[in-house]
Every structure is written in C-alpha cells, then in structure tokens.
C-alpha cells in the first residue's frame, strides 16, 4: 500500500463525506415521506440542512486553496508528550466521538430513522474527531490513526451485535431463531426426548456445531445462544488470523489486517460452518507438502459434504487457488495441472460420498428432502434492487467487492507477464465459477435477502487479493516478482463498516412477569390436551420442549416451521399431502403456531416465501383448525380443530 499524504487523506475523506451526505439525504427524505411527516415542520429539516452544508462546504474546500491550508495545518499538528492539557483534550475527543455514534443510533435517530446512511455519516465525522483526538495522544500519521479507528470500532460493533442476542427470553426472537436449537438437539434426541429422531436434513454441519452444548445436561437456552455467538466470533476470527498469517506481516499492521479480514468475512456474512472448511485449508494446504494438502482438502470436503450443496467444491477450489498462486508454470506444461486435477477429484468425490453417507445414517425416510433446493423456484428479480434486498444481489456484491477489485487491478496492472496466461485463466475461472454459483443460489426462493450465498466467492477473492498484496504469488519469470501497490482507499475499510453499524442496538429485554404468565398459560393448555390423550403439534416454539420450559409434553417431530417452509418452497407434494391428511383427520388436539392468514402477501420483503407459506401451509391449517388462544408477549396462537368438515381448496390446484 502506498504512503498517503495528508492532502490525499483529506481529499478522500471529504469526497466520502459528500457522497454519504447525498445518500443520507435521500434515505432521510424517503423515510420522512413514508411516515407522512411534514418535513418543514419537523426536526429532520435541520438534519437535511447539515447534509446540504456538508456537500456545499466540502465541494468548496475541494476546489479551492482551503484544501492546501488544511493539509498544511494537519502536517504541522505534532504530538507533544509533555503537554498534558492536549492529552486530556485528545482523550475527551476520542470518548465523545465514540459515544456520539451510539447516541445518534439509539436515541437521536432511533426507530424513526433506522436507515444506514444517516448514522454512517455521523460515524464518519465522529471517526475523524477521534482521529484528531488520538493525534494529540500518539505519534502516528493521520491515515494510520483513521484506519485504526474505523477498524477497531467496527470490531466493537460486530462483537456487540453478536453478543447482544444472549438472553434467557424463552420464545423465539425472530423467525425460528430459537427453533434452530431444536434442530441441533436432534443429534441427542434419544436422551432429550426419549425417542430416536432423524438428524437434520438442512445445514447438518451448522446444527452439529450448535449441538455441542447438549453434551452437558441442563444448559439453558441463553447458554446455547451464547455458544452460537461464540461460533460466529471465534471461527471467523480464527480464519481471519490464518489468512493474515499468510501475509507475513508484523507489528500493529498485522493486527489491523486481522480486524479488517474479520469484518470482511462478516459482510456477507460467511457462515461459521463454512469457516471450518476455510480454517482446515489455511492450516493444512501448502505447495511444499502436497500429500498433507491432499489430506486437508479431503477433511474439509467431508465437512462440506454435510453442509450445503454449493459448498461441495469449495475446499478443493481453495486448495487449487493456493497451488496456482504459489507454483510456477514454466517448464511443466500439461503436468502442471495433474495435481490441481487430483485436488478437484478428491475434493468433489469426498463431498459427494460424505453427503451420501450422512443421508444413509441420518434416518430420514425421504432422501428427496436433501435435494429440496433443486426443485425450488428461482427468483431472478432479486438480482436487482427489490423490496427484499434494497440493493439487490448484483449491486450489493459490486459494492462489497469493488474496492478490493480496484486494489487488485492496481497491484497487477502492467505486470500480467509475471504469470503465465494459463495461471491467470485458472484464477479468474475459479472466481467466475463461484460468482455464478453464488448468483444462482441467491435467486433461490428463500434466499436473496443478503449476500450470504456469495460467501465462497468472497472468500476466494480475499485469498487471491491478499496473496498478491503479501507477495506470496510466485512468478514465472522471477521467483518473487514485484507487484504494484494500491493507493489509499477509504472504501476498502468503510464498506465492511456498513455491515457493522446496524449491529448497534439496545440489549433485548422483556417483561419477565408477562412472559412467565404466557409460559404457564401455555403449559396449562397443552397439559390438559395431553392428559386427555391428544397430540400437541408445535409448528413453532419447539425449543420450549427442548429446554424443558414446558414439562411432560411429548414431542411430535413432524411439521416444524423451517421444515414446512422448505417443503412449501420446493413444492414437495408427497410431504405436504401427508400434512393435509393429518389436518383433515384432525390428528392433533392442538397446534401451536404463529398467527396464520388466508390471503397472500401482494408485495413487500419475502413476499414469494410468504405466498408459498400461505398457499401450502397457512390456508390449509386455517381451513381445518381455528385459533382459540393468543399469547400476549409473542405472535403465537393455539389452534383447535374446527367442527365439521369444511371444504378446503386444493393448494396444488391452479
């Protein structure tokens, strides 16, 4: 990375503030209009005035002699270790800048203006204020202090957000949030429910990691939530350290690159069960130890095989990328590709065999459930801006990867001859395959709400770019070619902060008395049904049984909410018709589920998923059962069989 002058730093900062001001203005006006607030008679007019002032004054400074004067002043601002007043003033600025972001997010904007850009603008200027304060405390360059302030705050926000979900609230905090712990419990079903149940068919490796606390009897739900938070933080941090270690950096820069990599991985985000594959590859793959590399690709592919179908080739592709980056082509000809071919063959075959073995030991009678993603609809409109994801997949991944792509271009510009064309072709082919694969998976119904399906592409891009940055790429002409330096770019650091800032929020709280009354009320209702010889189906909130919040209630394993949604989206007719048959036969004395509706959602976020649920699950449920009780503290109802035999519409009829 090239050294940055104060003038270049100031120019980049001002241009960024002007851009953020414009975007913040747009989001503020849109939100005010949506809330039907009269702008001219509200406090938000002052906020817009500040944004306008930022744009106007920023452009004036950029295109006038003021820029030179400010730059000179910044260069002359020296650290004076003997001046205690300046130190105290600097400390106050750091504390004030840090707290102002939280104050703006939590209290000034709050729920009225939750959009990203206004608080992002506050964060940018608060970080400059903190940089100025630190400049009075330590002897470093402006851009170094600013980069450190951005990254360290991003680290705090992400850690806070992951840990803030730790609560003993017994109900689910979002769509099937707590129900996922039920799926993790299936590996210990005989012990927990006194019945042997099939293992999860969706994301088995994720639930296997989540299941580890069940090895200790009686750990509460809050501990399992904490464990999942630690999986996010710990495995992501481990892969960030291992990737940064490949760069052979030292000092504070080494630590900052670890933090940047950590934040980069959480943009998509790269899920923690994929991080296991990344960690194995980064630990074991080395061009100096081909047999060890093959072993670790094999181990990582076993894990990929019990994860997601689109992850099957990822361990082998990462291993191939390391080989191509660090192995010269000259003098080998076709023999050069024998080892990558072996890596690919071993990796892909291992993943497929691992999947087949898991299917056979999982106990799932219908193996087609594992291939539900192949029969789900593809919603190509989600590639473009839409109500489910405001940026859309294409624009979103462009925003996230463009700064890294520009830096990559600057490093290799004019130096393409350092690598054989076939090596360039291999590297870009790996990126293209993972990019296209992520695009297709992102359009599958149920996805496209963020960039997590682009995870493998994000990892591959980071591996390739950081290898060039660190000088780990072996040339075909000279063994250690000199790659170009990329210019200072705030976006490389700022973009991951856009995903960290939304993590700021209040810790979850609830009315313990009211929640306890709801739990007791539910206990009384379902116990009466069980004592009368009936079955009680928990479509949702099944974790109440897992963690013994509801006592002496037998588990009905069929038709959990996540499973039902997957079958509805994939149109699994055999599964759904069995569900309809059980409803028609009034098999269940009670059904516990979220509030249902007959009418489909016409527009809005995840409208296609909502329509599939209403058509294949909700409407048939309401036709055969009626809600009779509603809990006060959560969107959960108790459904009882309707009298008579109403004529229900066939969900599969056009």
């Amino acid at each position: 990375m090239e050294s940055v002058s104060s003038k270049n730093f100031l120019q980049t900062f001002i241009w960024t503030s002007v851009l953020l001001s414009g975007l913040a203005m747009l989001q503020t006006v849109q939100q005010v209009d949506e809330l039907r607030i009269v702008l001219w008679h509200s406090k938000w007019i002052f906020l817009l005035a500040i944004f306008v002032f930022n744009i106007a004054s920023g452009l004036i400074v950029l295109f006038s002699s003021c820029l030179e004067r400010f730059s000179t002043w910044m260069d002359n601002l020296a650290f004076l270790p003997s001046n205690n007043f300046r130190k105290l003033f600097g400390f106050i600025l750091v504390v004030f800048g840090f707290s102002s972001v939280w104050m703006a997010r939590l209290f000034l904007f709050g729920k009225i203006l939750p959009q990203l850009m206004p608080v992002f603008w506050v964060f940018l200027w608060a970080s400059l204020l903190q940089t100025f304060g630190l400049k009075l405390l330590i002897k470093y360059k402006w851009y170094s202090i600013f980069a450190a302030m951005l990254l360290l705050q991003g680290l705090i926000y992400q850690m806070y957000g992951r840990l803030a979900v730790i609560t003993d609230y017994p109900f689910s905090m979002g769509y099937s949030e707590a129900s996922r712990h039920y799926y993790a419990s299936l590996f210990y079903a005989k012990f927990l429910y006194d019945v042997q149940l099939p293992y999860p068919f969706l994301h088995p490796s994720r639930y296997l990691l989540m299941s580890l606390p069940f090895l200790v009897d009686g750990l509460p739900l809050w501990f399992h939530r904490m464990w999942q938070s630690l999986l996010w933080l710990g495995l992501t941090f481990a892969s960030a350290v291992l990737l940064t270690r490949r760069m052979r950096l030292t000092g504070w820069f080494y630590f900052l690159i670890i933090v940047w990599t950590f934040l980069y991985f959480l943009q998509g985000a790269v899920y923690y069960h994929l991080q296991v594959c990344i960690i194995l590859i980064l630990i074991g793959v080395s061009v100096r130890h081909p047999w060890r590399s093959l072993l670790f690709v094999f181990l990582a592919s076993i894990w990929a095989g019990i994860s997601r179908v689109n992850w099957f080739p990822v361990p082998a592709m990462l291993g191939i990328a390391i080989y191509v980056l660090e192995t010269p082509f000259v003098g080998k000809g076709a023999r050069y590709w024998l080892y990558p071919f072996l890596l690919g063959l071993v990796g892909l075959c291992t993943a497929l065999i691992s999947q087949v073995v898991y299917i056979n030991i999982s106990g799932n009678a219908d193996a087609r459930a594992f291939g539900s993603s192949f029969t789900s609809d593809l919603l190509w409109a989600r590639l473009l801006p839409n109500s489910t994801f405001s940026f859309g997949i294409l624009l979103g991944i462009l925003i996230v990867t463009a700064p890294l792509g520009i830096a990559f271009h600057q490093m290799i510009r004019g130096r393409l001859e350092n690598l054989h064309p076939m090596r360039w072709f291999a590297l870009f082919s790996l990126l293209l395959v993972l990019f296209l694969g992520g695009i297709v998976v992102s359009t599958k119904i149920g996805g496209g709400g963020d960039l997590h399906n682009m995870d493998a592409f994000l990892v591959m891009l980071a591996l390739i770019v950081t290898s060039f940055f660190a000088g780990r790429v072996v040339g075909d002409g000279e063994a250690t070619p000199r790659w170009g330096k990329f210019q200072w770019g705030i976006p490389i650091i700022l973009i991951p902060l856009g995903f960290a800032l939304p993590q700021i929020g209040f810790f979850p709280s609830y009315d313990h008395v009211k929640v306890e009354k709801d739990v007791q009320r539910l206990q009384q209702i379902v116990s009466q049904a069980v004592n009368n010889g009936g079955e009680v189906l928990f479509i949702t909130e099944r974790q109440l049984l897992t963690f013994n919040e509801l006592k002496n209630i037998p588990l009905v394993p069929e038709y959990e909410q996540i499973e039902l949604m997957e079958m509805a989206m994939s149109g699994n007719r055999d599964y759904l018709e069995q569900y309809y048959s059980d409803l028609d036969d009034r098999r269940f004395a009670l059904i516990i589920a979220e509030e249902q509706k007959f009418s489909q959602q016409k527009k809005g976020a995840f409208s296609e998923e909502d329509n599939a649920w209403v058509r294949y699950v909700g409407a048939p449920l309401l036709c055969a059962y009626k809600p009779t009780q509603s809990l006060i503290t959560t969107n959960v109802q108790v459904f009882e069989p309707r009298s008579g035999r109403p004529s229900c519409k066939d969900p599969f009829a056009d």
Side-chain angles (χ1 to χ4, degrees):
M1 186 176 71
E2 291 184 355
S3 181
V4 182
S5 66
S6 296
K7 181 179 179 180
N8 288 339
F9 165 72
L10 191 58
Q11 282 178 318
T12 307
F13 177 87
I14 294 174
W15 275 119
T16 304
S17 73
V18 168
L19 175 62
L20 284 180
S21 295
L23 295 173
M25 282 181 61
L26 178 63
Q27 288 193 338
T28 302
V29 171
Q30 289 176 338
Q31 179 69 357
V32 168
D33 181 65
E34 194 170 309
L35 296 175
R36 297 185 179 181
I37 297 174
V38 180
L39 183 60
W40 305 107
H41 297 116
S42 70
K43 63 181 180 181
W44 302 113
I45 190 65
F46 297 104
L47 183 63
L48 291 179
I50 294 174
F51 295 147
V52 171
F53 176 77
N54 187 158
I55 294 173
S57 59
L59 293 176
I60 291 173
V61 170
L62 286 169
F63 297 104
S64 69
S65 60
C66 295
L67 184 65
E68 292 289 346
R69 290 199 294 269
F70 282 131
S71 302
T72 302
W73 176 82
M74 292 172 65
D75 289 331
N76 293 333
L77 185 64
F79 166 64
L80 300 176
S82 60
N83 193 325
N84 292 327
F85 175 77
R86 291 183 66 172
K87 288 182 178 180
L88 177 61
F89 183 61
F91 177 77
I92 292 173
L93 288 179
V94 172
V95 174
F96 176 77
F98 180 77
S99 59
S100 63
V101 180
W102 294 78
M103 294 294 291
R105 176 73 176 178
L106 298 177
F107 301 106
L108 179 60
F109 299 152
K111 295 182 179 179
I112 298 178
L113 188 60
Q115 280 73 12
L116 173 64
M117 293 306 169
V119 73
F120 210 155
W121 180 89
V122 173
F123 169 78
L124 182 71
W125 281 100
S127 297
L128 183 65
L129 200 64
Q130 294 174 82
T131 302
F132 178 75
L134 274 179
K135 185 68 175 175
L136 301 177
L137 295 172
I138 58 178
K139 190 177 181 180
Y140 281 100
K141 293 183 178 181
W142 283 93
Y143 71 88
S144 300
I145 299 175
F146 186 71
M149 291 307 306
L150 292 178
L151 291 171
L152 291 176
Q153 288 180 97
L155 177 64
I156 292 172
Y157 300 154
Q158 283 287 8
M159 292 181 66
Y160 173 88
R162 300 296 171 182
L163 296 174
V165 300
I166 302 173
T167 174
D168 60 356
Y169 180 62
F171 297 109
S172 187
M173 297 170 62
Y175 180 78
S176 285
E177 175 268 335
S179 294
R180 296 190 181 279
H181 299 287
Y182 158 75
Y183 281 100
S185 75
L186 294 181
F187 293 102
Y188 309 92
K190 185 65 176 176
F191 171 73
L192 293 169
Y193 308 113
D194 197 29
V195 61
Q196 189 63 50
L197 297 176
Y199 295 158
F201 69 90
L202 284 173
H203 317 302
S205 62
R206 176 180 186 177
Y207 296 129
L208 188 59
L209 288 172
M210 291 177 62
S211 74
L212 295 180
F214 285 107
L215 291 170
V216 179
D217 184 25
L219 292 177
L221 176 57
W222 71 262
F223 187 93
H224 287 257
R225 284 174 168 145
M226 181 182 70
W227 173 247
Q228 183 168 215
S229 296
L230 294 177
L231 288 174
W232 274 111
L233 297 174
L235 292 177
T236 304
F237 184 76
S239 60
V241 170
L242 290 169
L243 183 61
T244 306
R245 192 180 66 175
R246 288 176 46 84
M247 303 185 201
R248 299 169 182 170
L249 303 173
T250 57
W252 66 271
F253 195 51
Y254 173 75
F255 174 72
L256 291 183
I257 294 298
I258 290 176
V259 176
W260 176 84
T261 308
F262 176 84
L263 297 176
Y264 173 86
F265 281 148
L266 289 176
Q267 289 178 113
V270 179
Y271 272 83
Y272 51 81
H273 45 313
L274 177 58
Q275 296 288 6
V276 173
C277 293
I278 300 169
I279 290 169
L280 288 171
I281 295 300
L282 293 177
I283 286 176
V285 173
S286 169
V287 295
R288 296 180 180 179
H289 304 91
W291 289 109
R292 189 185 75 185
S293 300
L294 198 63
L295 172 63
F296 275 83
V297 168
F298 170 77
L299 295 174
S301 297
I302 292 176
W303 186 261
I306 61 170
S307 299
R308 306 178 65 184
V309 173
N310 54 306
W311 291 354
F312 283 10
V314 171
M317 294 177 76
L318 291 174
I320 291 170
I322 293 174
Y323 172 86
V324 173
L325 288 166
E326 300 182 10
T327 306
F329 182 86
V330 174
K332 295 185 178 180
R335 291 185 296 108
Y336 182 87
W337 304 109
L338 290 178
Y339 188 68
F341 175 78
L342 180 62
L343 287 176
L345 182 65
V346 169
L348 192 57
C349 290
T350 300
L352 289 171
I353 293 171
S354 175
Q355 171 86 152
V356 171
V357 170
Y358 178 80
I359 291 174
N360 281 279
I361 68 174
S362 69
N364 286 275
D366 185 4
R368 290 176 301 172
F370 290 88
S372 60
S373 58
F374 294 106
T375 58
S376 300
D377 292 337
L378 298 179
L379 309 175
W380 296 104
R382 292 196 177 168
L383 295 179
L384 303 177
N386 59 87
S387 57
T388 299
F389 184 28
S390 58
F391 289 113
I393 298 300
L394 291 178
L395 180 58
I397 195 64
L398 176 63
I399 292 172
V400 166
T401 59
L404 210 58
I406 293 171
F408 183 42
H409 174 262
Q410 291 174 345
M411 286 188 287
I412 68 173
R413 183 176 53 192
R415 295 171 172 82
L416 293 177
E417 68 279 0
N418 288 337
L419 295 189
H420 191 278
M422 290 301 295
R423 292 175 70 189
W424 287 118
F425 177 77
L427 292 175
F428 285 110
S429 295
L430 291 170
L431 285 171
L432 181 62
V433 168
L434 292 179
F435 177 81
L436 294 178
I439 288 294
V440 172
V441 176
S442 294
T443 63
K444 188 186 83 68
I445 185 172
D450 53 30
L451 298 175
H452 80 270
N453 287 313
M454 302 298 297
D455 45 15
F457 170 73
L458 289 170
V459 171
M460 180 65 74
L461 181 63
L463 173 65
I464 292 175
V465 174
T466 55
S467 295
F468 279 91
F469 171 73
R472 290 292 301 267
V473 182
V474 178
D476 286 301
E478 50 181 311
T480 55
R482 293 180 61 85
W483 301 103
K485 295 182 178 180
F486 66 90
Q487 297 176 356
W488 164 256
I490 288 181
I492 293 178
I493 301 175
L494 272 183
I495 296 299
L497 268 296
F499 293 84
L501 277 167
Q503 301 293 335
I504 297 176
F506 291 105
F507 273 99
S509 61
Y510 65 94
D511 189 319
H512 289 72
V513 175
K514 290 183 178 179
V515 168
E516 182 60 29
K517 286 183 178 179
D518 268 347
V519 173
Q520 291 177 359
R521 181 182 173 199
L522 194 57
Q523 174 78 70
Q524 182 180 6
I525 294 171
V526 298
S527 293
Q528 184 177 352
V530 170
N531 292 337
N532 291 334
E535 288 186 292
V536 178
L537 170 65
F538 281 78
I539 289 180
T540 188
E541 306 301 339
R542 202 168 283 192
Q543 78 285 346
L544 296 173
L545 307 181
T546 303
F547 297 103
N548 208 29
E549 293 286 347
L550 299 179
K551 306 181 187 308
N552 302 317
I553 307 299
L555 171 69
V556 176
E558 298 94 342
Y559 313 131
E560 202 279 332
Q561 183 168 257
I562 294 178
E563 181 179 313
L564 273 171
M565 175 58 89
E566 187 68 20
M567 296 307 170
M569 293 189 300
S570 61
N572 190 323
R573 186 160 189 158
D574 291 342
Y575 177 95
L576 291 170
E577 286 186 341
Q578 181 60 51
Y579 167 67
Y580 304 147
S581 176
D582 286 337
L583 293 180
D584 290 340
D585 293 341
R586 308 302 193 265
R587 170 186 167 184
F588 310 110
L590 295 176
I591 295 178
I592 312 301
E594 293 181 351
E595 182 180 355
Q596 303 296 313
K597 55 187 178 182
F598 276 110
S599 59
Q600 296 182 355
Q601 182 176 326
K602 300 300 181 183
K603 60 180 181 179
F606 293 106
S607 59
E608 290 84 358
E609 289 82 355
D610 180 82
N611 292 341
W613 177 272
V614 171
R615 176 178 178 178
Y616 293 111
V617 180
L621 171 60
L622 285 174
C623 183
Y625 284 73
K626 62 182 179 181
T628 58
Q629 304 274 354
S630 297
L631 300 187
I632 298 174
T633 58
T634 186
N635 183 32
V636 171
Q637 293 183 326
V638 179
F639 295 81
E640 294 182 357
R642 294 184 185 273
S643 58
R645 296 286 175 174
S647 177
C648 301
K649 179 182 178 181
D650 181 5
F652 290 98
D654 293 334

